[in-house]
Amino acid sequence: METLTVLVVDDEPGIRSGIKRILEGHRVSFPFMDEDYQFECREVASGEEALTMLEVVTPEIILLDNKLPGMDGMEVLEIIKQRNLDVVVAMITSYASMEIAAKATNDGARDFIPKPFTPAELKSSIDLITKQYFLKKITSNMKEEGKKIRYQFLSVLSHELKSPLNALEGYLQMMKERELGEDMSAYKTVLDRSLQRVDGMRSLIMDLLDFTKIRMEKKEEKVEQVDLRERAELAIATINPMVIQRNIKVSCFGDEVFYDADPSDLDIMFNNLLSNAVKYNHDGGEVKVQVYKKEQAVVIQVKDTGIGMSEEEVSRLFKEFVRIKNSRTRGIPGSGLGLSIVSKIAQLYGGHIQVSSIPDQGSEFRVILPLT
Amino acid sequence: MRKKTILLADDDPDVIFQVKHHLELWGYEVVAVESRVEAERYLESGCPDLAILDLMMEEEDSGFILSYRIKKCRPDVPVIISTAVAAERGISFDINSPGSRSWIKADHYLEKGFRMEQLRLLIQKYLD
């Protein structure tokens, strides 16, 4: 069994001892490996102490709090990058803004663990980090890690477009070579599948346009007071054809709530949340949309009676291009960008997204946007 | 003569449709499954003469897991892993280095987008 050293940098003793307790009993095993990984934790309460320790010990993993007394997590991360230390860093943070996320990713952070986290969430992050560590160790060509992260989005994107093209090319080839005979009716499935893949590519491109739009545009110029209830009703009307087809009951509750935002951001958010709630529902199911004010925030809540997800599936949900693949989601089209877009828009307004889900019973998504 | 059986595991129904069509055309018996779980269910009672496994199915490493399990009980069954992992994750695996060989239990990597003729030659190499 290989032991990985984890350096926990956090000024809260409770968090440090919690992480230590959770990780020291935790094992990570890959079903294709003979050996498991276990963890040994070291802890420090400040960035300065962390850097002193890093002069003598190089851990495999660092869990780095962003808010620290004195030097903050981002500064520590920068120094780790300058020192070119061979270590996987994950940021622990309560205030994950888009800017912090972008900067930390550029400086080599591999993961974000938002506070507060449950033992299951921490374990799931550590599993992922360990897998990255393992892959890094066994692949010799990953030295230019920073560049790789930057290009990862593009390479994932090209793959997502290449897959349907491969399928289309294969089908066209089958038709060209008359592989199913001369009778056109034999090609019905081939043609139907080709049209579906073209449709999938179109949705991906539309999602990408949303994605680049929210990344590129300056928000201040387009902000106005938006009636959230009205935007929700508009999104419900947009999704109506699919709702009728699947006999799903969609209802909207809540008071009149106004929020300062670019209305198109909210439309993208509602459309994505609602289309997921309908797509991943059972025929004859239900979707409830609710907007309300809670303390100093507005909450957009979309609840469905659909196929739901396991805890592990939920933890992977907001990563770009991640689609939960199982027997229940097979055949449901999607680009894997929708929730990542919703999450990014929420972050843009200083908010965040929460999800709770029970397999076979349904999911509830809540977008919480702070009132400024 | 008994037809040779090929296990084809891929979560893309279009890959299944096209590859299965060609494998059958070339005279093989095909067991086509769309997930690791289904492949494992088949392996409980059956054993293919060759396996073509997609790397990323339910998990990012489903193909490695399946390959490991096939080789553990039947080391003689050739395993081809078809993958787009280099394009998807920016990671490339060098199956020829001793380090990788020690844990990747596959005989060949095939980058997705392969030509059917390429696949045919590869299968013939292992089965004829």
Side-chain angles (χ1 to χ4, degrees), chain B residues 9-33:
Chain B
D10 199 304
D11 64 354
D12 184 336
D14 296 317
V15 171
I16 291 274
F17 184 94
Q18 293 174 17
V19 176
K20 184 171 185 273
H21 168 80
H22 284 93
L23 293 177
E24 286 173 345
L25 209 66
W26 301 331
Y28 300 108
E29 185 85 40
V30 181
V31 177
V33 293

Side-chain angles (χ1 to χ4, degrees), chain B residues 2 9 13 22 25 27 39-40 46 49 56 75 77 82 92-93 100 109 112 125-126:
Chain B
R2 180 186 77 90
H22 284 93
L25 209 66
E40 281 175 348
D49 295 292
M56 299 167 78
V77 173
S82 87
S92 67
F93 294 95
S100 303
Y109 264 147
K112 278 232 172 136
K125 179 182 145 190
Y126 289 113

